[in-house]
């Protein structure tokens, strides 16, 4: 059959959609690369027309099985435009090739959308209302922006293992989205371009464990005013080249940056200015920042733990700026903590101890550690191997222990 004659492939999909079975086409292994979009020979007999598929999944062609439409290993020509459509059943596309064309779900009302291993030119779900999950996982690749602005998803948004490339703009924009479950940008997730969830609400955790975020001239991960009911995980192999911004964010549990690496040597590597974090802030166990870490006026409901963390100042000479921060628990800059550049926490309030025992603070041409006007309910420990190369200041500080 000619790749330009999709009739038989359409018939297969139609039958499978009515019976709730997979429509499986090209015999492509999970670890094999998809054939190029323009490889007509490879896709002969495995090609679907995007406009025909849009009619099918929106219920205008036939009655769909409750399991939905499930297609594996097809090429879809002309993109898949479902803007403002109503999809009565879920849509699953696995290892399908759309080339430079986008999947458009703008203002659509739909059940779950699963896109594992799909290759496309972008995903536009601005304003979509998805009852269920949105999954773009397991090698999903978008050479264009993934858009979720103002979208509502009742379940999880899962991008684990996906590759999003839009180096001159935003790789993912979920600004003002309402996401009822957790967000997973982890397990090999790669973004080339800004990932933005500005003002979004997340009903579970935001996990970026092991994710790679690259936007060296701006924000790599923008969570300004984002509200996360659970934890934010920027840890265990997380790497950002570019700023990570959580200014005015609200985190219902902890912010964990264990073994995360934050690289913005010309500016601010990580900022939580004005954020409210109900649990701990963990800059420990291999945390590394090249560029200023800024936690000024951040409210922390647990501990601020920098044990074994390494901070290297940006161009402004500040390794850590924590002026006016409020820490309900302890501040731990103990064994293995090292700051090259000034650590300044003027006016900080600490509900427990401030322990810098065995910590190392290096700023030979200025102030190494400044705690002016700090209010510490417990003790301040600068002992057991504490080392400061540069001035240590506690002018006007109050220490209760």
């Amino acid at each position: 059959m000619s790749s330009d004659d999709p009739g038989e492939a359409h018939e297969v999909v139609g039958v499978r959609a009515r019976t709730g079975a997979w429509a499986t086409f090209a015999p492509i292994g999970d670890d094999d690369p998809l054939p190029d979009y323009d490889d007509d020979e490879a896709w002969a007999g495995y090609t679907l027309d995007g406009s025909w598929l849009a009619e099918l999944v929106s219920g205008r062609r036939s009655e769909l099985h409750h399991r939905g439409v499930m297609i594996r290993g097809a090429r879809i020509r002309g993109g898949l435009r479902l803007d403002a459509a109503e999809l009565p059943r879920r849509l699953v596309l696995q290892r399908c090739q759309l080339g430079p064309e986008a999947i458009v779900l703008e203002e659509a009302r739909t059940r779950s959308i699963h896109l594992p291993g799909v290759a496309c030119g972008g995903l536009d779900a601005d304003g979509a209302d998805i009852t269920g999950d949105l999954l773009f996982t397991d090698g999903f690749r978008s050479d264009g922006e993934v858009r979720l602005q103002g979208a509502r998803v009742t379940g999880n948004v899962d991008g684990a293992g996906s590759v999003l490339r839009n180096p001159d703009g935003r790789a993912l924009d979920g600004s003002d989205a309402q996401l009822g479950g957790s967000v997973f940008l982890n397990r090999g997730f790669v973004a080339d371009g800004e990932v933005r969830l500005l003002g979004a609400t997340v009903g579970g955790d935001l996990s970026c464990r092991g994710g790679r975020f690259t936007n060296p001239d701006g924000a790599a991960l923008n969570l300004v005013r984002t509200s996360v009911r659970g934890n934010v995980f920027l840890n265990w192999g997380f790497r950002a080249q570019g700023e990570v911004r959580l200014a005015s964010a609200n985190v219902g549990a902890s912010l964990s940056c264990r073994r995360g690496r934050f690289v913005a040597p010309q500016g601010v590597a990580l900022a939580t200015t004005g954020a409210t974090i109900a649990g701990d802030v963990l800059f420990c166990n291999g945390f590394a920042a090249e560029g200023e870490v800024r936690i000024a006026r951040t409210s922390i409901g647990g501990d601020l733990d920098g044990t074994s963390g390494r901070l290297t100042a940006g161009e402004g000479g500040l390794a850590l700026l924590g002026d006016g921060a409020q820490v309900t628990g302890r501040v731990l800059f103990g064994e293995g903590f090292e700051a090259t550049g000034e650590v300044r926490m003027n006016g900080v309030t600490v509900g427990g101890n401030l322990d810098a025992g065995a910590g190392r603070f290096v700023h030979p041409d200025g102030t190494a550690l400044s705690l002016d006007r700090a209010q510490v309910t417990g003790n301040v420990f600068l002992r057991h191997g504490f080392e400061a190369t540069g001035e240590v200041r506690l002018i006007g500080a109050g220490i209760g222990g």
Side-chain angles (χ1 to χ4, degrees):
M1 183 198 316
S2 167
S3 62
D4 293 323
D5 177 14
E8 185 175 320
H10 288 179
E11 183 177 351
V12 170
V13 172
V15 170
R16 299 294 193 274
R18 289 191 294 273
T19 60
W22 278 92
T24 299
F25 292 101
I28 306 167
D30 289 342
D31 296 325
D32 296 333
L34 289 177
D36 291 341
Y37 180 73
D38 294 325
D39 188 342
D40 290 338
E41 182 177 353
W43 293 111
Y46 307 143
T47 297
L48 304 172
D49 179 74
S51 60
W52 176 88
L53 181 58
E55 287 192 25
L56 176 74
V57 299
S58 58
R60 293 192 292 269
R61 283 275 182 176
S62 61
E63 185 176 347
L64 303 178
H65 192 272
H66 66 84
R67 295 187 66 198
V69 177
M70 301 179 294
I71 302 170
R72 181 187 293 119
R75 174 175 63 173
I76 300 172
R77 280 203 175 277
L80 183 58
R81 297 199 62 92
L82 294 164
D83 36 327
E86 292 202 22
L87 279 64
R89 305 295 186 198
R90 69 171 181 160
L91 171 64
V92 182
L93 302 178
Q94 184 180 68
R95 304 279 287 158
C96 291
Q97 174 67 273
L98 286 88
E101 303 293 341
I103 298 171
V104 180
L105 293 161
E106 185 177 4
E107 302 292 340
R109 294 172 59 86
T110 177
R111 301 294 182 95
S112 293
I113 301 290
H114 296 186
L115 305 170
V118 165
C120 61
L123 171 62
D124 183 356
D126 283 353
D129 190 340
I130 301 175
T131 301
D133 300 323
L134 173 61
L135 277 56
F136 45 97
T137 57
D138 301 321
F140 173 92
R141 180 185 177 101
S142 176
D143 290 313
E145 187 173 356
V146 173
R147 299 177 59 89
L148 301 171
Q149 287 188 33
R152 175 182 171 272
V153 182
T154 64
N156 296 327
V157 173
D158 192 347
S162 64
V163 178
L164 312 182
R165 300 198 185 279
N166 192 27
D168 297 323
R170 295 167 191 159
L172 186 154
D173 190 348
S175 298
D176 298 316
Q178 299 177 44
L179 311 174
S182 294
V183 175
F184 300 101
L185 305 176
N186 58 359
R187 293 192 294 112
F189 174 86
V190 174
D192 189 0
E194 180 182 354
V195 171
R196 172 179 284 201
L197 294 172
L198 191 150
T201 59
V202 179
D205 293 332
L206 170 58
S207 177
C208 302
R209 284 189 177 109
R212 302 296 179 98
F213 297 74
T214 302
N215 190 31
D217 297 324
L221 177 58
N222 191 339
L223 302 174
V224 172
R225 300 195 311 277
T226 301
S227 178
V228 180
R229 186 172 183 179
N231 299 283
V232 175
F233 296 111
L234 311 179
N235 58 0
W236 298 104
F238 171 90
R239 180 184 175 95
Q241 289 187 285
E243 297 181 12
V244 175
R245 301 173 181 169
L246 289 96
S248 301
N250 192 309
V251 179
S254 294
L255 169 62
S256 176
C257 301
R258 287 177 169 142
R259 296 193 182 179
R261 188 175 181 192
F262 300 74
V263 180
Q266 309 305 315
V268 179
L270 171 61
T272 66
T273 307
T276 298
I277 300 167
D280 299 326
V281 173
L282 304 175
F283 297 156
C284 55
N285 302 112
F287 168 84
E290 299 174 35
E292 182 181 333
V293 174
R294 187 176 291 175
I295 61 170
R297 303 189 309 281
T298 298
S299 175
I300 300 171
D303 293 337
L304 170 60
D305 189 352
T307 305
S308 298
R310 300 175 69 90
L311 286 71
T312 303
E315 287 188 341
L318 283 166
L320 175 67
L321 175 62
D323 290 357
Q326 299 176 12
V327 183
T328 301
R330 303 166 297 168
V331 173
L332 304 174
F333 294 146
E335 186 173 355
F337 175 84
E338 182 173 334
T340 303
E342 181 179 356
V343 173
R344 192 174 89 195
M345 301 185 72
N346 294 337
V348 66
T349 61
V350 182
N353 295 330
L354 191 156
D355 189 351
R360 187 166 184 259
F361 299 76
V362 180
H363 194 215
D365 298 324
T367 302
L369 175 60
S370 181
L371 297 169
D372 290 352
R373 303 181 306 282
Q375 297 295 317
V376 182
T377 301
N379 301 290
V380 174
F381 296 118
L382 309 178
R383 61 181 184 177
H384 297 319
F386 170 84
E387 179 183 342
T389 304
E391 184 179 5
V392 176
R393 300 167 52 102
L394 292 96
I395 296 171
I399 302 171

